[in-house]
Each structure stands twice: as C-alpha cells, then as structure tokens.
Amino acid sequence: MSRIDFDIAHLLAGLLVLISFLELYQDRLYALLNVFALHALVLAASVAWQAFIQDAPHLYVTAAIALLFKAIVIPVALHRIIVRLGIHREIEKVVGVGPAMLAGIGLVALSMVVMLRVTPGADPLTREDLAFALSVVLLGLLMMVTRRNAVGQVVGFMSLENGLVLAATGAKGMPLVVEISVAFSILIAFIVIGIFLFRIRERFDTVDVQALDRFRGER
Amino acid sequence: MVLIRDFAVQGAQMLLVLLLAPLFTGFVRKMKARLLRRQGPSLLQPYRDLLRLSRKEVVLADSASWLFRVIPYLVFAATWVAASLVPTFRTGLLFSWSADLIAIIALLGSGRFYLALAGLDVGTSFGGIGSSREVMIASLAEPAMIMIVFTLALIAGSTQLSTVAEFMASPQVGVRVSLGLALIGLIMVAIAENGRIPIDNPATHLELTMVHEAMVLEYSGRHLALIELSASLKLILYVSLIACLFAPWGIEAAGATVPTLAIGAATYIGKLAAGGFLLALFETSIAKMRVFRVPEFLGVALMLGLLATLLRFVSASF
Amino acid sequence: MILTVALACSAVLLALAAFAVTIARAPLATRLVYGGCALVAAVSLGAALVDLLAGAPPLSVTLPVGLPWLGAHFRLDPLSAFFLLVVDLGALSASVFALGYGVHEDAPERVLPFYPAFLAAMMLVVLADDAFTFLTSWEFMSLTSWALVMAHHRVADNLRAGYVYLVMASFGTLALLLGFGLLAGPDGLYTFAQMRAAHPTATLAALALILTLIGAGSKAGIVPLHVWLPLAHPAAPSHVSALMSGVMTKVAVYGFVRIVFDLAGGPAWWWSIVVLGFAGATTVMGVLYALMQHDLKRLLAYHTVENIGIIFIGLGLAIAFAAYGMRFAAALAFTAALLHVFNHSLFKSLLFFGAGAVLTATGERDMEHLGGLIHRMPQTAFVFLVGCAAISALPPLNGFVSEWLTFQAILLSPQLPSWGLKLLVPAVGALLALSAALAAACFVKAYGVTFLGRPRTSAAVAASETDRFSLAAMIFVALLCLIVGILPGAFIDALAPASLAMIGERMPVQIGSQWASIVPIAASRSSYDGLLVFLFMVISGGLAASAIHRLASDRLRRAPAWDCGYPDLSPATQYTAMSFAQPIRRVFGTVVFRARESGEMPPPGATRPARFKVELSDPIWDWLYAPLVVGIGFAADRLNRLQFLTIRQFLALVFGALVVLLVVLAAWS
C-alpha cells in the first residue's frame, strides 16, 4: 500500500469525524438529517476505498448497504416520521455549541491517546483509522447525551454505529455474516424506536424527553 | 545582476497585487450580479470609483483628530506590505524572509487595530457599533488563523511562506487530514476577515447589518479611497494565500526565467478568476448570519484549527 | 568591583530613604529625592549593563550583616545582571516620571521615604545569594510597597486593597520560606552555593517547585493567586503602580527562575505540565477580566496578569525542553520568556505613566468619564498609542518580537515525547493566540474610550498636557519599545549569557545576520526582520501619501459628524467602555463570569429613566476565596472559645501538651 492510499483513507476517516462535529453544530432537524445522510455517504466511500486497497470485494457489499440504507432509506423514513408526527423542528440542546465543541475536541484527543498508546505494535494505518473510528463513536454518544429531542438521539445512535462499521472495516475486514447481522439488528432497533415514537406521540402529544420525565412523576 | 532581477521581481509582485486588487473586486461584483441575472457594473468600475473618490473633497467631522487623518495611510501601508509578501506567481521573493506567516497575520491585525480606533475617533455610536463587532470577530478569527498557520508550519517544517508554498507544490505533501481541516478553517477565516456574507454584507451601508462599513462611515474623499483599496488588497491577499498554499500548481520557484514567469502569471490570473467565481457563488447561495451566530461560526473554525494542530502533534502521519 | 557598585547604590538608596523621612515636608524634597533615585538608578543600570555585555564570570561578596553565623551573601551572575538591568531601567524611568508627577502628591511624607527603600529592596532581592538575605529583602520589598499602596489611606477601596495585599504577601513569603527550608535540608545549608551543590531527591524538588509556584507565583500574579494585584496596583500612586506591575512582578519571576532552574537541581518533565497549565489559565483569565473593566489602572493591572501568563508559558516550555535534554529549544523558550520580561516592563511602565498623566490632568481614573483627550493632551496621547500598539503585539514594535519567539518555541514542541505535553501544548498555543487577539481588542477599547471621541464630563474638557519630566520619561520608554522592535537581535544576544547560565545553551548569534533580522533556529525555518518591516511600512505609507498629494485633491472641510437627522447629540450617546465590550462579554462572559444583562423599561407614562444592569461574578473569588474566608472565620470563632476557659482548664491544656511531648520523646527511636 503506497503513501497515497494511506492518505486517502485517513482523509475519508477524518472527513467522517468532521461531519460528526457538523452534526453536533446543527440545530434544525431537517439539516441534521441531511448531514446524517452525508455522514453515511462518506462512510460508504470510506468502506469502498478500504475494499479497493485491501482487495476485499465483500466490503463493497457493506459499502452498498451503508449507501442504500443509511444514506437514503433511513433519512427519508425519518423525514416522513417527522412530518407525520409534526415534531417541533428545532433541536433543543442541553449545553451550548461552544462547550459541546470543546467536549468534542477533548473526546477526539482522548481517543487518539487511548488508541495510540494501547496498540504500539500494530500496523500504523489500522491504528490511526481505529483512533478516528473511536472518535466517531464517542462523538455519537456525545450527541445522544446532549440532545433533548428523541429524533436527535436516534441520529446520534446511527452515527455511533457508523463509527463501529468504520472500525470494523479498518481492522482488515469483518466476515460478511457479522456485518449482515449487525445491520439487521440496527434495522430492528430502528423499527422498534419508530413504533415507540408513534406510541409516545399518541399518548403524550410530544417527544421531548424532558416532558416525558415530567409524566413519569419524577419532577 | 541576480540581485537586480530579484529586486525587479519583488517590485513587480507588489505593483501587480496593487493593480489587480480593484479588478478582482470588480470581477466578484460582476459575477454576483450575473448569478442573480443582472447585468452588473463593469469590471473597471472600482478603478473609476477610486479615481472619483480621490478627486473629491474630504469632509471631516468636527471632533475628528489627527489620528483619524493618518489612519488610512497606516492601514494601507500595513495591508500593502502584507499583500506583497504573499507569493503570487513566484516563490522565493527577495524579502520574503523578512516576515513569515505569523508576521503577515500580525500586520493585518495591526491594520484592523487602527481601523477600529478610527471608528471610535469621531465619537458617535455608529463607529462604536462597527468597532466593537469588528474586535469581537477578530478575537476569534485571529486565533483560528494562527492555529491554521501552526498546522501548516508543522507539516512544512517552517513558518516562512515561500518555504511552505514550495513544500505544498512538491510531491512530498500527500493528501493529509490536517491539511483538509486547515483548508476548511482557512476558508472560514478568510470569509470572516474580509467581511463577506455570511459574516458581513459588503454591499449595503445599513449600520445595523454591517461591521466594516460602520467603522469607516465618517471617511470620505481620498481617505475613503485608500481604505477601499486596502479592503480590496486584503481580499486579494487571502485569495492568493489560499491559492499558493492549496492550489500551488504553476508557481515558479526562485531562479526562473521569463517564459516560466509568464506561465506563472497566467496560472495566477486563472486561480484568481476561479477563486472569484467560487466566492461569488458562495455569497449568492447563503444568507447573512445574525451577529451573535458569528462567534459560533468562528468557534468552529478555531476548533478545526485546534484539531488539525492536535493531530499533527499526536502523529507525524496525520 | 561591579557588585560593590551595585550594593553601594542600594546603600545610597536606603540612606536617601532615611533622609527623606526628615525632609519630606520641604518644598524641594520631591525633586531632591526622585532626582537622587534617578541618578543612583542610572549608575546601577550602567553597572549591570557593563556586566551583562562583558560576559564576566559571577562575582560574589559576603557582608558581615544579618545572622552572625551566616552573614549576607551577594552574587552577580548573568541572570542577576539581567534582572538588575530590568529593575534599574524601570526605576530610572519611574523616578524621572515622578519628578513631574510627584509634585501633585498631597501627602508626600507617606510616599517619599518608602520609594527609595522599595527600589533598594528590589535591587537586593536580585543580588541576594543566600536564603536569609533573599527572604529579608523580599519581605522588605512587600512592606515598602504596601506602605506605598496605603499612601492614600482615606479612600475606602485602598484600605481593602492594602489588607488583601498584606495577607497574600505574607502567605507568599510563608510558602517561599518553606520552599527554601526544604532545599536547605536538615543541616541548614542556607547559601545558594550550598543548595546548588546539594542534590535534593525528586519528591523534595517537586515540593520545592509547588511552594515556589505558590510563593513567587502569587507575587507575580498567577491565577488563582492574583487577586491582590488588581486591587493593590491601581491604589498606589502611578509611578509606584508602574514599578509594581512592570518591575516587582519581574522580581518574582526572577525568584521563580532562580529556584526552579538553578537551586532545585535539574527540572523534571512533569513540572512543565503544572507550570503550563497555570500559565495558560492565567493568560486567558487575565485578559478576560481586563475586558470587563472600565477603571483604566485596574485594566492595566489585569493585563499584567495576562503578560505574566505569557512569560510563564515560555518558562514552562523551557522546563519541558530542558528536562528532555533539548537544550537549543530550551534556550529559545527561555530567551523568549526573558525578552518578554524586558518588553513588558517597558510598555507596562509606559502605559501606567500615561494613566498617571491622565489622572493628574483630569482627576479621573474611570474611562467612562473621559474621552477626547487626544485634542487636549496630544503628546501623551501619542506615546500612549505607542504603548497600546506595543502591548497588542503589533509589528514593528517590541511586543510582537517576544510573542513571535514564543510561537516559534511552541512549534518546536511536537518533538517532546510526553503524551501529556503533546495534548497540552497545542491547547496552550490556542489560549495564547486567543489572549493576544483579546488584548488587542481590550486596548482598542482603552485607548478609544479614553483618548478618542468626545469628552464625556467637564473634567475631561478641562484636561491639559502633562509636564516635561513626565513626557520625557514616557518618550524615552516609547523610543526603547521601538528600538527593541526594530533591532531585536542585539537584545537577544545581550540575553545570551543569562540563558547560558541557566540552561547551558544559547540561541545562535543574531548580530551580523542580514539586515538585522533574527533567526531563532535556522534560516530555512523561520526569520523575522523588524527593521525591514518598519522600513517597508514607512516607504509604502510615504509612497501612498506622496501619490495622493500629487494626484488627488487636497481640499478638506470640517462639518458636524453624521447624526442620522438628530442634531446636537450629547456625548453620552457615544460608545462607553462597557458597551464596547458587550459583544465580547456576550460571547465569553456568559460562560466565564456568568454575565447577565437585564434591562428594565418603565411603563408608558412613567417619567423615570430606563435602567440597564450588567451583573458579573468573579468565579475565582466566589469559588476559592469566599469559601476560604468563611471557613477561616468559622474556625476562628470556634478557636475563640479557648480565650474564655477557666484557670483549671488552662492548666489542664499545659499538662496535656507536656504529657504528649514526653510520649513522643519516649516513642522516637
């Protein structure tokens, strides 16, 4: 693998981290869905590039699944859900953009330090890609923690899974069956979440999770 | 002989930038107009504007001081010196070692310092609005720019702009993550520093929506001509900077001959045209942000610069 | 020989102080005392300069004063010579300034005796070579400056300032005392030569570092121990404020450098993390506090805190590089810090002199009551502008050079192997860049609101130009700022002996490089030429001016300012300091200071004015000092009960203490 292959793989992984930051910055729901679609697109490109340089054709299937489901089907479905539920289209955040960005930088630094210290003997390309993948996972978790809106939390969960896929492809490919099972479990989780959102909306007229806390009698 | 030729090239660069600056501003305005399906003013209109302004009488406020009259010259001097140090068609300029990227940023910062003082000099609230917003924008844009300079310096091993430009043109540079982050950050900072949409609207003169125009509200005549020329110089400086760092093809190294210099000049004009078109496209497709969203925008640029520097510190392959 | 000259100067100053007690009320006393101080400072300055430039080996002398078995040791090595130079330059310019400013003092007997003593104490601290002399001179310095802070004791703010200063100074000296005690060891090796020869264990050296950071750092102004600085520095007379901010903080930096680089053995790498962490916080917090101020002298005092942060960033980087054996890089960082020490003493003195001139001319320190002074005090306004440009690190002045060198040192840091440093140094670099930009913003505010615009009160209207002594001092310092900015190579070479003494390495020789440029590492890497930048700016400005003069119209007409159709606007409609800082207060202040703005509009028909209120809270005071004060008060109340015991209970206490001591004696093996 030549220098340019390394660099393009790094570039795509870094672009994924950048788009995760962009997701943290968004405060409008439709824009968030568009950025999430972009996230999945870049993931598909990254997986396809890994398939090219590792000469592993089954990764092309993974890339196609990511492209089809995550970049097209899921954003469109979420868009429909938002329209049908009439969800309030601004995302309330628990912390402001500035502190969230700072926390994001701290998490990226943390994942760099952890990955590069824990794996001193491994192949440098894999280590650095794993560091980026861990960053994407942590940023997805940060998104879930700092959003008040359930749809925002779903998007955070999806981008977390994107990070896991990036990690798995970077580590010289995973068997296709594992990938398919992971994808199916995500799909099931998504369907369940969608059903729950409908039920919550029917009962309480809102999907703001803080409002749900009120109904639990805790406040 | 070599010294005289190098001197001539440096002088040619300084004059080129000065003469092209109003043309570039006119080009961007023309492109914006055409994208909005208007005819737009002619490409040479900024030259006519400058000539007209310099022939007009200066109307000075009663409370303006000597500093108010000197500041346009200070701002122009600082901006012109900075602009002439950025390689356009040739690196290795004779005096390029006298000021590196950090010094260029500081020169532009001093131009901004004096302009903000000019806004406060007359003692009305319009100047105050412009100056206070300008320093708020600068307090985030300048650190972002310095972090981007750090990233570039850590990749190229030097803060000297000629050395960085030559490194970027060489095959060793590769496609790096931190360079990508630095490019996006630099574009965001360039938009903020030049007061383009979405930070500030260069076309209106409404004090509530503007930053730069509010600071120079009281200037007229030849002073205003100098300040407008400085603003055009700053814009062409930033476009040249982005071109020589991230699109360095065609820049000739030191010791080039006349034909290659001509090729370098031609590619530079082409890069300016491309940059102007992209700027016009960007400005017509996005709306101006509310003033207190600008810190969030620039905060993202600062974070990108910090992240890029952090990545370079962590590993040399980023 | 040079050391004897320096010590003789201190002795003359002490004698002058004693003399000033007797003649303080006489009409010529002010001129006599300040003139004498200026003369002595000039002699001492000459001696220090000769010693630094000649690169002579260190000189020592022992005087038979002080403790009988110890004596008083004094030593002049290159580091001491450099700091003596800084002290003397500040003393000279402050004394010349005071020749004009001191005449307006209404209680000269409270200022004149303590001023020469203050100068003498600072010189003695820098020359001291054993712990006892050092600490005595340090305490003497604190006491004399405290007396000067309390000179105008009828003002209530000054009382509080003096009280906080006394408490913090005592606390700092206690920390330094413990630190020296640890370094001296159980055998009581108090001289610095003995401390250098002893090699303390790593834990001992680490404790000494922490105590030095607390002791010297609180005197220098490291956050969170800086709280006394913005209270005490503005309270003193302006020439003393200049000395306290510009020189006394540098003496504290000297103490830190002497202990950490010289006496505690070689520094450990993790010390740099502690120093850099505090330094980064100091830089940003200092400038953010300064942006919220509208008192001119308090703003300048907070900027001192910020610049001390910048100096300690350089020192922290020097510690990191030295610990890993990268001595060239350590020399670069160390030289950057020392150059900033020199530069800051210059432009901070200039700015405080300007503030003093404004105070004398208008009687106001609050920027919200000033304005339009550029028309009434044109020369003061010009030199103050030079000071503002220098502190905002604008080329071609001196502030830019030291900041540029610090940035170059930061760019060498990726070679450091420690992970903590790899993550901390970029963050510190970002904080440094942020504080530089915020400092420029703050000085646009300070200069613009005070000198530009229209006068806001009658006091500002009645201002007149300062006297020629004050102006001479300010012009002298402003010229020095320009010279250091244009010819930095000469000053960097002059600092080289100090860097050699502490780090063991120096920066490459700068004199003789092309066109007086400075090349900190290698010509291919980076270089800066202040002279050429200055010449270029002058030539471009001149070309523009002559072209305009030749080709453009030169007519000019005065007219009222644009008023949007509302004629005769009152000066109250122009921007004030608080309104200028409002955008930055919104961006940074809501997080750091919990800034809340509230406006109260009266209902229609009511005739009272609308009110706009800004609430700021000081996080360090609320979270660190207020609980501490409450805790100490609580403990003191509890312990107070010991005063009201019966005789039997007192006897029981004495008996109990005796029994405990006997048990300890029995159990000690």
Side-chain angles (χ1 to χ4, degrees):
Chain A
M1 271 180 265
S2 67
R3 180 79 230 174
I4 190 94
D5 295 338
F6 271 11
D7 287 338
I8 295 188
H10 276 169
L11 193 66
L12 288 169
L15 200 57
L16 208 62
V17 173
L18 183 63
I19 298 179
S20 299
F21 269 108
L22 210 56
E23 280 180 358
L24 270 177
Y25 177 69
Q26 297 304 326
D27 61 352
R28 293 198 199 117
L29 218 43
Y30 288 152
L32 182 65
L33 288 183
N34 292 341
V35 175
F36 172 64
L38 188 63
H39 201 252
L41 196 69
V42 171
L43 176 73
S46 175
V47 173
W49 180 253
Q50 288 286 350
F52 174 64
I53 56 176
Q54 287 175 25
D55 209 17
H58 60 273
L59 286 179
Y60 283 119
V61 181
T62 311
I65 291 178
L67 186 63
L68 187 61
F69 277 106
K70 295 241 186 100
I72 300 176
V73 171
I74 290 186
V76 168
L78 277 174
H79 203 274
R80 292 248 187 96
I81 289 180
I82 291 171
V83 169
R84 278 195 57 181
L85 293 186
I87 294 176
H88 183 48
R89 276 182 275 151
E90 247 191 50
I91 306 181
E92 287 89 14
K93 301 194 183 99
V94 175
V95 289
V97 171
M101 287 282 164
L102 276 175
I105 295 264
L107 287 174
V108 171
L110 179 67
S111 51
M112 293 285 151
V113 173
V114 165
M115 268 307 164
L116 293 179
R117 283 188 81 154
V118 160
T119 59
D123 169 35
L125 171 62
T126 317
R127 287 168 69 200
E128 285 156 5
D129 271 348
L130 275 178
F132 278 128
L134 184 58
S135 316
V136 175
V137 169
L138 287 175
L139 285 172
L141 272 172
L142 183 67
M143 242 191 81
M144 286 179 73
V145 164
T146 58
R147 290 273 178 285
R148 289 236 178 97
N149 187 305
V151 177
Q153 289 175 341
V154 167
V155 169
F157 180 62
M158 296 280 140
S159 35
L160 190 152
E161 207 253 338
N162 285 354
L164 287 173
V165 172
L166 181 68
T169 54
K172 297 268 187 313
M174 11 177 230
L176 194 56
V177 72
V178 175
E179 162 65 19
I180 290 183
S181 59
V182 169
F184 260 108
S185 63
I186 294 301
L187 200 57
I188 299 296
F190 180 71
I191 292 173
V192 171
I193 289 173
I195 293 177
F196 262 112
L197 279 175
F198 271 104
R199 297 285 304 191
I200 294 170
R201 176 66 164 75
E202 274 176 35
R203 289 303 295 279
F204 302 113
D205 279 331
T206 171
V207 291
D208 182 353
V209 292
Q210 269 215 321
L212 297 182
D213 266 343
R214 264 203 306 277
F215 288 120
R216 262 173 60 193
E218 303 265 297
R219 288 173 192 265
Chain B
M1 180 57 214
V2 176
L3 188 67
I4 296 182
R5 190 190 63 191
D6 283 345
F7 213 79
V9 172
Q10 170 81 63
Q13 150 111 351
M14 289 176 74
L15 272 178
L16 180 73
V17 181
L18 189 62
L19 292 173
L20 275 183
L23 182 61
F24 185 69
T25 307
F27 178 71
V28 173
R29 283 194 202 147
K30 183 86 171 166
M31 280 295 113
K32 275 171 79 166
R34 296 306 280 243
L35 283 167
L36 295 172
R37 301 190 61 182
R38 290 188 283 123
Q39 279 294 347
S42 116
L43 283 177
L44 300 179
Q45 186 60 32
Y47 292 106
R48 297 196 193 111
D49 284 337
L50 288 174
L51 225 56
R52 172 178 56 92
L53 280 173
S54 50
R55 285 197 217 123
K56 283 190 148 190
E57 172 186 60
V58 164
V59 178
L60 208 55
D62 286 328
S63 46
S65 61
W66 60 266
L67 192 62
F68 192 74
R69 296 167 65 171
V70 167
I71 278 176
Y73 298 96
L74 281 174
V75 172
F76 177 72
T79 317
W80 193 22
V81 171
S84 42
L85 290 166
V86 176
T88 51
F89 56 90
R90 184 174 172 231
T91 61
L93 296 166
L94 187 62
F95 291 118
S96 60
W97 46 264
S98 63
D100 61 351
L101 266 169
I102 301 180
I104 291 177
I105 297 173
L107 277 170
L108 292 174
S110 69
R112 191 176 35 232
F113 180 84
Y114 292 121
L115 208 56
L117 282 180
L120 287 173
D121 188 57
V122 178
T124 58
S125 25
F126 302 106
I129 293 182
S131 296
S132 63
R133 288 178 180 178
E134 175 73 17
V135 299
M136 172 192 76
I137 293 175
S139 70
L140 286 167
E142 202 171 296
M145 188 70 199
I146 291 186
M147 296 315 287
I148 292 168
V149 165
F150 277 4
T151 312
L152 292 168
L154 289 172
I155 293 178
S158 162
T159 48
Q160 206 67 270
L161 192 44
S162 292
T163 318
V164 177
E166 277 170 23
F167 183 83
M168 292 294 171
S170 74
Q172 306 158 290
V173 67
V175 181
R176 294 173 191 272
V177 177
S178 39
L179 271 183
L181 294 174
L183 173 62
I184 298 178
L186 185 55
I187 292 177
M188 291 168 91
V189 169
I191 292 176
E193 290 254 358
N194 288 297
R196 315 300 299 189
I197 294 181
I199 306 283
D200 184 13
N201 195 340
T204 72
H205 289 263
L206 264 177
E207 61 271 9
L208 291 179
T209 61
M210 61 196 178
V211 175
H212 186 260
E213 299 298 327
M215 277 195 295
V216 302
L217 190 72
E218 291 290 334
Y219 275 117
S220 52
R222 54 191 185 271
H223 298 155
L224 187 58
L226 271 177
I227 291 192
E228 303 244 319
L229 187 55
S230 309
S232 308
L233 267 176
K234 200 165 165 187
L235 182 62
I236 207 174
L237 185 158
Y238 270 98
V239 176
S240 310
L241 190 65
I242 296 179
C244 91
L245 288 175
F246 294 102
W249 316 291
I251 289 194
E252 299 306 319
T257 58
V258 172
T260 47
L261 279 181
I263 295 179
T267 40
Y268 174 63
I269 306 272
K271 286 180 212 172
L272 278 185
F277 177 70
L278 286 171
L279 178 62
L281 191 62
F282 184 69
E283 282 201 284
T284 46
S285 47
I286 198 169
K288 184 182 166 310
M289 286 193 293
R290 206 163 50 87
V291 165
F292 285 109
R293 293 208 52 171
V294 172
E296 291 177 5
F297 180 77
L298 287 173
V300 171
L302 178 57
M303 291 305 159
L304 285 177
L306 181 57
L307 187 60
T309 310
L310 200 68
L311 287 177
R312 282 302 303 175
F313 263 78
V314 161
S315 158
S317 59
F318 283 137
Chain C
M1 165 58 191
I2 294 189
L3 182 54
T4 12
V5 168
L7 285 172
C9 291
S10 315
V12 168
L13 282 172
L14 286 170
L16 197 58
F19 181 56
V21 174
T22 51
I23 63 156
R25 279 254 167 220
L28 273 181
T30 314
R31 302 259 193 218
L32 222 61
V33 171
Y34 288 123
C37 290
L39 227 60
V40 173
V43 168
S44 183
L45 175 70
L49 202 60
V50 164
D51 186 84
L52 193 60
L53 291 179
L59 309 158
S60 332
V61 95
T62 309
L63 294 179
V65 293
L67 292 175
W69 62 91
L70 190 59
H73 298 250
F74 295 100
R75 186 164 178 263
L76 184 66
D77 73 343
L79 187 71
S80 306
F82 170 70
F83 277 94
L84 189 62
L85 185 80
V86 171
V87 171
D88 289 329
L89 197 56
L92 176 62
S93 47
S95 307
V96 172
F97 178 79
L99 276 173
Y101 175 83
V103 201
H104 304 277
E105 181 65 60
D106 22 64
E109 70 274 8
R110 296 183 73 98
V111 175
L112 285 179
F114 297 107
Y115 181 81
F118 182 42
L119 294 180
M122 287 197 285
M123 290 187 200
L124 286 174
V125 171
V126 169
L127 290 172
D129 195 38
D130 69 77
F132 186 69
T133 319
F134 186 93
L135 283 172
T136 319
S137 318
W138 184 277
E139 265 302 273
F140 192 49
M141 179 175 80
S142 303
L143 275 177
T144 44
S145 51
W146 173 80
L148 288 166
V149 165
M150 297 292 278
H152 303 138
H153 63 115
R154 301 224 183 271
V155 180
D157 281 344
N158 293 359
L159 281 179
R160 179 160 179 263
Y163 178 63
V164 174
Y165 182 28
L166 206 56
V167 169
M168 294 299 295
S170 317
F171 174 67
T173 312
L174 177 66
L176 272 181
L177 186 70
L178 290 174
F180 276 123
L182 281 178
L183 286 174
D187 303 323
L189 309 167
Y190 287 118
T191 62
F192 285 179
Q194 288 168 325
M195 285 189 203
R196 250 174 239 128
H199 293 285
T201 62
T203 353
L204 219 61
L207 276 173
L209 168 82
I210 305 285
L211 287 167
T212 312
L213 196 58
I214 293 177
S218 76
K219 186 66 114 207
I222 301 275
V223 154
L225 298 166
H226 69 288
V227 282
W228 62 275
L229 211 148
L231 293 172
H233 284 198
S238 305
H239 55 299
V240 176
S241 306
L243 278 179
M244 287 173 78
S245 262
V247 179
M248 192 172 76
T249 47
K250 309 303 174 299
V251 172
V253 170
Y254 164 77
F256 181 81
V257 171
R258 177 64 76 190
I259 296 179
V260 170
F261 283 91
D262 200 15
L263 298 178
W269 70 268
W270 63 267
W271 295 4
S272 62
I273 295 193
V274 175
V275 174
L276 278 173
F278 278 108
T282 307
T283 314
V284 169
M285 288 305 288
V287 75
L288 282 177
Y289 275 117
L291 274 163
M292 306 292 132
Q293 300 302 318
H294 53 93
D295 178 334
L296 189 56
K297 286 172 89 172
R298 187 156 295 167
L299 184 145
L300 292 174
Y302 273 118
H303 269 286
T304 305
V305 172
E306 178 218 344
N307 280 288
I308 291 291
I310 298 179
I311 294 172
F312 272 89
I313 288 179
L315 288 176
L317 284 171
I319 291 178
F321 289 130
Y324 282 112
M326 297 156 65
R327 300 225 290 228
F328 273 109
L332 172 60
F334 192 70
T335 313
L338 285 189
L339 191 62
H340 201 74
V341 162
F342 186 65
N343 288 342
H344 182 245
S345 73
L346 283 179
F347 46 67
K348 194 39 70 73
S349 307
L350 176 59
L351 289 169
F352 265 108
F353 293 162
V358 167
L359 184 58
T360 320
T362 60
E364 287 281 354
R365 247 164 59 184
D366 191 345
M367 286 191 278
E368 318 275 37
H369 296 158
L370 297 170
L373 292 177
I374 192 171
H375 301 282
R376 290 154 183 85
M377 307 169 67
Q379 288 122 317
T380 310
F382 180 69
V383 282
F384 199 83
L385 181 63
V386 173
C388 289
I391 199 172
S392 310
L394 305 180
L397 294 169
N398 56 352
F400 176 69
V401 179
S402 43
E403 204 155 288
W404 186 79
L405 283 174
T406 314
F407 280 139
Q408 295 294 334
I410 290 181
L411 285 173
L412 284 177
S413 316
Q415 306 163 21
L416 292 167
S418 148
W419 273 97
L421 283 171
K422 274 197 206 287
L423 294 182
L424 186 60
V425 174
V428 165
L431 287 175
L432 183 59
L434 186 64
S435 76
L438 285 171
C442 193
F443 275 97
V444 169
K445 176 182 93 164
Y447 191 77
V449 173
T450 312
F451 284 93
L452 303 177
R454 292 174 287 155
R456 293 178 180 82
T457 57
S458 49
V461 176
S464 60
E465 186 61 81
T466 41
D467 56 277
R468 56 185 201 281
F469 284 114
S470 313
L471 264 180
M474 290 197 276
I475 291 176
F476 170 63
V477 180
L479 267 176
L480 267 180
C481 285
L482 184 64
I483 291 177
V484 178
I486 295 183
L487 300 171
F491 291 89
I492 292 179
D493 278 344
L495 284 175
S499 153
L500 263 176
M502 290 295 118
I503 306 275
E505 195 53 78
R506 53 161 293 167
M507 274 176 66
V509 178
Q510 305 295 331
I511 293 190
S513 45
Q514 242 179 331
W515 284 92
S517 66
I518 51 173
V519 179
I521 305 154
S524 60
R525 230 191 121 101
S526 51
S527 59
Y528 168 70
D529 195 333
L531 181 63
L532 269 186
V533 169
F534 177 64
L535 283 176
F536 274 172
M537 283 182 72
V538 166
I539 292 177
S540 328
L543 272 176
S546 64
I548 294 274
H549 183 71
R550 201 73 65 75
L551 307 167
S553 136
D554 59 353
R555 288 172 305 170
L556 187 144
R557 169 166 66 95
R558 289 271 179 179
W562 169 249
D563 53 19
C564 212
Y566 292 94
D568 220 17
L569 287 173
S570 124
T573 57
Q574 57 182 334
Y575 258 54
T576 62
M578 294 301 274
S579 49
F580 189 85
Q582 190 250 8
I584 295 186
R585 192 168 60 229
R586 277 256 213 133
V587 174
F588 296 100
T590 39
V591 172
V592 179
F593 300 115
R594 282 183 296 159
R596 298 282 172 264
E597 296 170 355
S598 54
E600 189 247 307
M601 296 289 290
T607 51
R608 65 173 191 278
R611 295 226 174 272
F612 180 75
K613 198 164 60 158
V614 175
E615 286 164 5
L616 295 168
S617 66
D618 183 344
I620 294 177
W621 194 270
D622 288 343
W623 288 92
L624 184 60
Y625 288 94
L628 210 62
V629 168
V630 165
I632 292 179
F634 179 75
D637 277 340
R638 292 266 170 216
L639 286 175
N640 198 24
R641 300 231 228 105
L642 282 177
Q643 290 207 14
F644 304 108
L645 303 175
T646 64
I647 294 189
R648 188 188 59 81
Q649 284 166 326
F650 280 129
L651 283 174
L653 272 180
V654 173
F655 180 59
L658 185 60
V659 167
V660 165
L661 286 173
L662 286 173
V663 166
V664 167
L665 198 59
W668 195 275
S669 50

